[in-house]
Amino acid sequence: MMKIFTYIFSLFLIASCTSIKKDNTAQGTKPNVIMIYVDDMELNQMSAFGCDMPTPNMDRIVHTGAKLNYNYVSAPVCTPSRYGQLTGRYASRCKSYLKEFPTDDPIFIRWNGDLELEGSEKTIAHLLKENGYATGFVGKWHNGQPTTEERYEDMNLHADYNTPKVQQHLKELYARQVDYIKKAAGFEDVMNVYGNNLHALALPKNVQEHNQEWITQGGLEFIEEHKDEPFFLSFNTTIPHVPSPYHSMEADSRITPNGLLNAPIDGKYMPLRKDLIERTLAEGYPIDYAVIKWLDEGVGALYKKLDELGLTENTIIIFASDHGVTGKMTCYTSAAKVPAAISWPAKIKGGKEVNELTSQIDFVPTILSALNISIPKGYHVDGINLLPTLVDGDTLSRKFIYSEVVYQRAIITKDYEYLATRFPKEIQAKVTTKNRNEFTIEGKQEEDRYGAQAMFPGYYDDDQLYDLNNDPKEQINLASQSEYQSKMKELKGYMKQVITTFPHTFGEFGKQPN
């Protein structure tokens, strides 16, 4: 009897110790991180920010976390915005610009600020990998492609996608792109990626299609593979960016930049595309809204996986758009202000509204703080840590947001926006008072690429000031009015404060050459 008692007691001790060990592990588990970056999404395309159609999965991030009501991107176009998201730095610090532009002239910021190879510029992925995190990247990249003899836009343009030759060519280019991302950004797992916009992937024109299921598949497989260790997933959609995502919902779901899949995946990870279209119409919404449902279901699939694995509570989810569409490639607030939210159920109380100025360059320092990782010596961060605000409601000391694109720079406060356009010497030599309205903010004698000159009357003014409370659409330029000169001086001072820290000058604001 004593032996039996001893045996049972031993089992009890073992079970108790195991239980205690599991609980301690749970308490000390490092949080996972998923950063969702969507492409060209407006504020009114997410119901938490004004869309009249429910987007329950994207809104779940808001309802279980914090809604960022004043979130602006540091650069309102794809490449420099994504640079800021991954590094926490303004694109003006990108090393490739030092090779491309003389430092005594303004730099041209568009799709040209690529991350350099071999990790010469570290990203959040490098830092987290060095601290024991599994790191994965899926979806849209747009921060550099391997060089080719022929332009990506011209390769295979009129070829038959289904031929073995084209399929092999795409797989070769795709493998090189994956290798590029690993070397440039430091991700271990790179899968189901779009290296650029659809027209720049060497895809035949008739198959330049989005595939949200394929991107979602990559995210789900990464989570499943690394469910037992802390992970960081950068999840980047190609929608709702053009070409028409709705058209892609009617396309073959086997189409990818890595060639044709063996079988369709429509309905495998998310609802069938046709069902989403039918549901959209049955609910009385325009047919294009089906694209937002498609995007929302991709986020929903990630949540479903996290819920099934019991990882949701201790997973930080950051959601944002890379920029808006109205006034795209300008610094007007319609392009710079984007939907954004951060959820971490274990730490952040759900339903929080953050009415502080925030930016996507804040994501890196916020993640590092949440993970108790110090910013390494030599790693420059322009963003600030939002965690005290998200968790404790602390007020930020930030007075303004800086934004930059092409030859335009902006200072944005809660009440005002100041925009400055300054051209390099070569373009200045061509500009006169008579022809100034012929030059876009890209410094070209043509109409603005996205039609901004028709939306903003002050577009051609080198200095612009707008009262965001009384003139949210930025129609009345106050820069020359006498009663606003003190405000102009204040905001110009902020701009000089930022730009003097950059390698390149920008008119009177940057470091002046000796």
Side-chain angles (χ1 to χ4, degrees), residues 314-330:
N314 200 32
T315 296
I316 300 167
I317 299 181
I318 298 175
F319 177 95
S321 176
D322 61 347
H323 52 79
V325 177
T326 305
K328 178 179 175 177
M329 205 180 285
T330 75

Side-chain angles (χ1 to χ4, degrees), residues 330-332 403-409 419-421 441 464:
T330 75
C331 290
Y332 292 105
S403 191
E404 55 185 7
V405 75
V406 291
Y407 291 123
Q408 188 175 75
R409 311 290 183 258
L419 299 98
T421 301
I441 60 173
Q464 302 170 50

Side-chain angles (χ1 to χ4, degrees), residues 173-428:
L173 292 171
Y174 180 86
R176 291 175 60 193
Q177 179 68 78
V178 167
D179 187 57
Y180 185 105
I181 296 171
K182 287 182 176 181
K183 289 179 177 178
F187 288 96
E188 292 176 297
D189 294 346
V190 177
M191 61 190 82
N192 299 25
V193 297
Y194 290 76
N196 204 316
N197 291 325
L198 296 179
H199 72 280
L201 294 175
L203 284 165
K205 188 170 180 58
N206 64 338
V207 291
Q208 292 177 7
E209 306 288 359
H210 304 272
N211 193 332
Q212 181 60 48
E213 290 83 4
W214 189 58
I215 292 174
T216 301
Q217 176 192 47
L220 298 177
E221 289 180 354
F222 175 82
I223 294 170
E224 179 65 35
E225 182 178 352
H226 299 286
K227 61 187 177 186
D228 296 322
E229 59 183 320
F231 62 77
F232 167 62
L233 171 64
S234 182
F235 183 87
N236 308 271
T237 73
T238 62
I239 58 176
H241 194 289
V242 297
S244 170
Y246 174 74
H247 180 275
S248 294
M249 292 185 75
E250 297 182 319
D252 187 343
S253 66
R254 296 177 300 164
I255 296 170
T256 80
N258 192 27
L260 199 65
L261 299 177
N262 292 328
I265 55 175
D266 182 15
K268 186 172 182 180
Y269 306 100
M270 299 154 54
L272 286 166
R273 297 176 182 181
K274 68 177 183 62
D275 290 347
L276 293 176
I277 295 171
E278 291 173 2
R279 204 166 81 208
T280 301
L281 295 174
E283 292 171 358
Y285 298 107
I287 199 165
D288 287 347
Y289 276 44
V291 172
I292 304 304
K293 282 190 183 293
W294 199 24
L295 171 60
D296 192 60
E297 290 293 348
V299 175
L302 295 182
Y303 260 122
K304 182 179 179 181
K305 172 62 73 172
L306 294 173
D307 291 343
E308 289 173 350
L309 297 174
L311 298 176
T312 309
E313 182 76 8
N314 200 32
T315 296
I316 300 167
I317 299 181
I318 298 175
F319 177 95
S321 176
D322 61 347
H323 52 79
V325 177
T326 305
K328 178 179 175 177
M329 205 180 285
T330 75
C331 290
Y332 292 105
T333 56
S334 58
K337 191 175 185 180
V338 298
I342 300 178
S343 173
W344 185 13
K347 296 287 184 179
I348 301 172
K349 184 179 179 181
K352 185 183 291 289
E353 300 258 348
V354 175
N355 292 312
E356 304 281 343
L357 293 165
T358 62
S359 171
Q360 98 279 25
I361 59 171
D362 299 332
F363 297 158
V364 167
T366 300
I367 290 170
L368 294 178
S369 176
L371 276 46
N372 292 315
I373 297 173
S374 299
I375 298 173
K377 184 178 180 181
Y379 188 100
H380 186 91
V381 168
D382 288 305
I384 61 177
N385 173 22
L386 302 179
L387 202 62
T389 299
L390 298 171
V391 176
D392 301 320
D394 291 3
T395 301
L396 296 177
S397 59
R398 175 182 274 159
K399 295 180 180 179
F400 63 88
I401 288 288
Y402 168 80
S403 191
E404 55 185 7
V405 75
V406 291
Y407 291 123
Q408 188 175 75
R409 311 290 183 258
I411 293 294
I412 306 168
T413 70
K414 283 189 179 180
D415 301 317
Y416 290 92
E417 176 171 32
Y418 167 64
L419 299 98
T421 301
R422 301 291 186 268
F423 295 127
K425 291 184 286 291
E426 181 182 356
I427 297 175
Q428 287 179 30

